[in-house]
């Protein structure tokens, strides 16, 4: 197996236990992203190509080969001709911001409102993607993977997009501005671009070549409302947020609220702009559910404290977005007492046997535990390779195919986000609604 770096032109041998990848992990851990600069140079983008190889029978990555899915002939998609015809091999390109240090990354994520991402997410995603490449290889799927570092720079991104070898699908970039550039390029060149992390619905319009692996915030909030509606009756819905700072989240929740109904009577949604006024909108004898439409730690802390005190007088629970889980000032007792709910576009049950098998396989290679970004990189790469192999390069043809459940940790459900019957883009509709109970999260929706 050979990995190719574009600057300088090294050919780096890689043995079966991924020694070189482990060196990158250790270098990043000890000296942030400076190690990658030393290895590949600056500012030329990093390019890594993974070619198919013969795999030793003892090098089992996740599951035995005999559990790989067998696709029956009747499950194949209709054959296409021309540029969308099936091929013997495919190319996937990853474009990620490897060179951001922790301080810069946290600042940027706060500005871009990308939920739940953390330091080294790009590297962790990449590690999972490489594990998926091994599984695809064992399934007989020939997938060539190129990896590029865009430095979160639009000009470098354009250099990558215009000079890289032709790709069947591009995964990345991460941030909104770069995603908008890549999405427009994908539309012009009829190349599928997959956003791995962003929940923004404002990246592109009328673009059937753009795919969101992370559901939009509107879809996430709709799923949360539906799950709580199904779980409880006699509900009193309240959304809390500051008029200006949280206006986007408040408006998104208000737009999702009527769409989540099941045809029965729905009370009006109450919007509260101040923590001090919450009690005025609570109703005794009803199940009060408060959605906290803010990710400002001071405001969230004050609201959670206030609501926690009120929970002794009212039946109430609270929901919010994933960034609340990273707020160090919030006590776990708040989450437990208020049965905190949140939507997750990607979630793997910690008790899942497949997750434990993946964790063991990852530890064997990297001597560390996988993160959510590792598993996301694994699942997304595995699913893209699967779509290419069995649905062909026109990815939407494969969305109706059964997922390779024997290998995947999570199940993607891509469908159009449509406006007036026109496909705006495709997004993942499989949102898990998680509730904190007995000091652990459990999924409450089907």
């Amino acid at each position: 197996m050979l990995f190719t770096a574009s600057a300088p032109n090294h050919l780096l041998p890689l043995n079966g236990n991924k020694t070189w990848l482990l060196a990158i992990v250790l270098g990043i851990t000890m000296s942030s992203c400076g190690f990658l600069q030393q290895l590949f140079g600056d500012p030329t983008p990093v390019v890594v190509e993974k070619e198919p190889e013969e795999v030793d029978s003892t090098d089992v990555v996740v599951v035995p080969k005999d559990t790989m899915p067998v696709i029956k002939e009747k499950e194949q998609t209709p054959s296409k001709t021309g540029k969308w015809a099936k091929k013997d091999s495919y190319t996937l390109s990853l474009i990620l911001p490897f060179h951001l240090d922790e301080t810069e990354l946290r600042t940027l994520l706060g500005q871009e409102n990308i939920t739940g991402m953390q330091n080294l997410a790009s590297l962790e995603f990449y590690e999972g993607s490489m594990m998926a490449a091994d599984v695809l290889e064992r399934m007989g799927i020939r997938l060539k993977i190129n990896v590029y570092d865009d430095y979160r720079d639009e000009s470098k991104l354009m250099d990558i997009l215009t000079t890289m070898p032709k790709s069947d699908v591009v995964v990345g970039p991460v941030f909104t501005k770069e995603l908008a550039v890549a999405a427009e390029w994908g539309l012009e060149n009829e190349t599928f671009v997959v956003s791995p992390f962003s929940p923004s619905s404002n990246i592109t319009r009328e673009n059937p070549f753009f795919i969101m692996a992370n559901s939009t915030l509107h879809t996430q909030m709709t799923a949360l409302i539906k799950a709580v509606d199904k779980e409880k009756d006699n509900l009193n819905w309240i959304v809390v947020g500051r008029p200006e700072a949280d206006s986007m989240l408040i408006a998104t929740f208000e737009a999702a609220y009527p769409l989540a109904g099941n045809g029965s009577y729905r009370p009006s949604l109450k919007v509260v702009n101040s923590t001090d006024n919450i009690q005025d909108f609570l109703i005794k004898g009803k199940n009060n559910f408060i959605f906290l439409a803010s990710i400002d730690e001071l405001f969230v802390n004050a609201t959670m404290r206030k609501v926690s005190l009120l929970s002794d007088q009212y039946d109430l629970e609270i929901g919010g977005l994933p960034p609340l889980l990273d707020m160090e000032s919030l006590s776990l007792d708040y989450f437990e007492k208020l049965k905190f709910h949140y939507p997750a576009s990607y979630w793997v049950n910690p008790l899942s046997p497949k997750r434990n098998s993946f964790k063991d396989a990852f530890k064997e290679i990297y001597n560390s535990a996988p993160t959510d970004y590792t598993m996301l990189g694994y699942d997304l790469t595995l699913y893209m390779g699967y779509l290419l192999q069995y649905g062909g390069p026109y990815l939407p043809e494969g969305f109706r195919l059964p997922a390779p459940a024997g290998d995947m940790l999570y199940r993607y459900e891509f469908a159009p986000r449509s406006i007036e019957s026109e496909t705006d883009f495709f997004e993942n509709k499989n949102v898990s609604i998680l509730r904190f109970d007995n000091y652990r999260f459990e999924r409450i929706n089907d």
Side-chain angles (χ1 to χ4, degrees), residues 161 173 178-188 191 193 203-204 207 209-210:
L161 293 173
E178 289 72 37
L179 272 171
V181 171
E184 184 64 24
W185 171 88
L187 179 60
E188 292 176 358
T191 301
V193 173
I203 294 168
T204 188
N207 187 347
F209 292 93
F210 188 69

Side-chain angles (χ1 to χ4, degrees), residues 2-293:
L2 292 179
F3 281 73
T4 307
S6 67
N9 291 323
H10 291 161
L11 288 179
L12 303 175
L14 177 65
N15 60 23
N17 59 9
K18 313 292 190 295
T19 303
W20 183 64
L21 293 182
L22 181 58
I24 289 184
V25 176
L26 294 177
I28 288 288
T29 302
M30 293 184 292
S31 60
S32 187
C33 294
F35 183 82
L36 278 178
Q37 289 177 312
Q38 296 172 20
L39 181 62
F40 295 107
D42 183 22
T44 307
V46 177
V47 183
V48 180
E49 299 183 356
K50 179 179 175 64
E51 297 280 10
E53 68 163 10
E54 291 187 6
V55 180
D56 185 87
S57 60
T58 62
D59 186 19
V60 178
V61 177
V62 178
V63 292
K65 190 172 183 179
D66 57 10
T67 65
M68 302 298 180
V70 176
I71 307 300
K72 299 178 181 178
E73 186 63 30
K74 66 180 181 180
E75 294 173 338
Q76 302 279 356
T77 57
S79 60
K80 285 181 172 287
T81 59
K83 68 175 295 183
W84 302 119
K86 290 186 178 181
K87 301 185 290 188
D88 293 332
S89 64
Y90 297 92
T91 299
L92 180 149
S93 293
L94 298 177
I95 303 179
L96 301 169
F98 288 100
H99 282 75
L100 295 182
D101 63 26
E102 180 175 3
T103 302
E104 183 180 12
L105 184 57
R106 288 186 181 277
T107 300
L108 293 172
L109 290 174
Q111 295 172 354
E112 301 285 350
N113 293 320
I114 297 177
T115 59
M117 194 176 174
Q118 58 189 351
N119 187 35
L120 302 184
S122 294
L123 181 66
E124 292 162 355
F125 184 95
Y126 164 74
E127 292 166 349
S129 181
M130 292 299 100
M131 290 188 70
D134 287 342
V135 176
L136 290 168
E137 188 175 305
R138 293 176 50 245
M139 293 171 66
I141 297 175
R142 298 178 60 84
L143 182 67
K144 180 179 181 180
I145 298 180
N146 301 330
V147 181
Y148 301 88
D149 185 349
D150 70 348
Y151 293 71
R152 196 184 180 257
D153 183 284
E154 290 181 50
S155 62
K156 290 184 174 62
L157 172 61
M158 283 306 303
D159 287 342
I160 293 170
L161 293 173
T162 55
T163 62
M164 69 181 183
K166 182 175 176 57
S167 302
D168 295 289
V169 58
V170 174
V171 177
V174 169
F175 295 99
T176 303
K177 288 183 179 179
E178 289 72 37
L179 272 171
V181 171
E184 184 64 24
W185 171 88
L187 179 60
E188 292 176 358
N189 292 273
E190 294 190 338
T191 301
F192 289 98
V193 173
V194 181
S195 167
F197 300 134
S198 176
S200 174
S201 60
N202 299 318
I203 294 168
T204 188
R205 288 285 181 270
E206 298 181 8
N207 187 347
F209 292 93
F210 188 69
I211 300 171
M212 292 183 61
N214 192 342
S215 307
T216 61
L217 286 174
H218 183 277
T219 296
Q220 294 180 36
M221 292 181 185
T222 301
L224 173 65
I225 296 166
K226 286 183 176 180
V228 175
D229 272 343
K230 186 175 181 180
E231 184 186 32
K232 296 180 179 298
D233 53 16
N234 198 27
L235 276 161
N236 177 38
W237 280 94
I238 301 170
V239 59
V240 180
R242 299 162 298 170
E244 295 182 2
D246 303 319
S247 58
M248 185 275 288
L249 293 179
I250 294 172
T252 303
F253 194 87
E254 287 183 294
Y257 183 73
L259 299 178
N262 56 11
S264 59
Y265 168 74
R266 293 179 61 77
S268 60
L269 176 67
K270 301 172 179 65
V271 180
V272 181
N273 298 137
S274 170
T275 298
D276 296 333
N277 297 335
I278 290 177
Q279 188 170 5
D280 296 338
F281 295 87
L282 297 175
I283 302 175
K284 289 188 177 181
K286 284 184 173 289
N287 291 310
N288 299 278
F289 192 91
I290 299 171
F291 182 79
L292 188 46

Side-chain angles (χ1 to χ4, degrees), residues 378-419:
Y378 169 81
D379 271 337
L380 190 56
T381 303
L382 189 63
Y383 189 54
M384 289 298 122
Y386 172 82
L387 288 177
L388 290 167
Q389 177 73 6
Y390 295 110
Y394 190 76
L395 297 183
E397 287 285 346
F399 289 160
R400 68 180 182 84
L401 290 173
D407 301 289
M408 294 187 68
L409 308 172
Y410 167 85
R411 186 182 73 255
Y412 285 104
E413 296 177 1
F414 289 110
R417 181 185 186 273
S418 301
I419 296 179

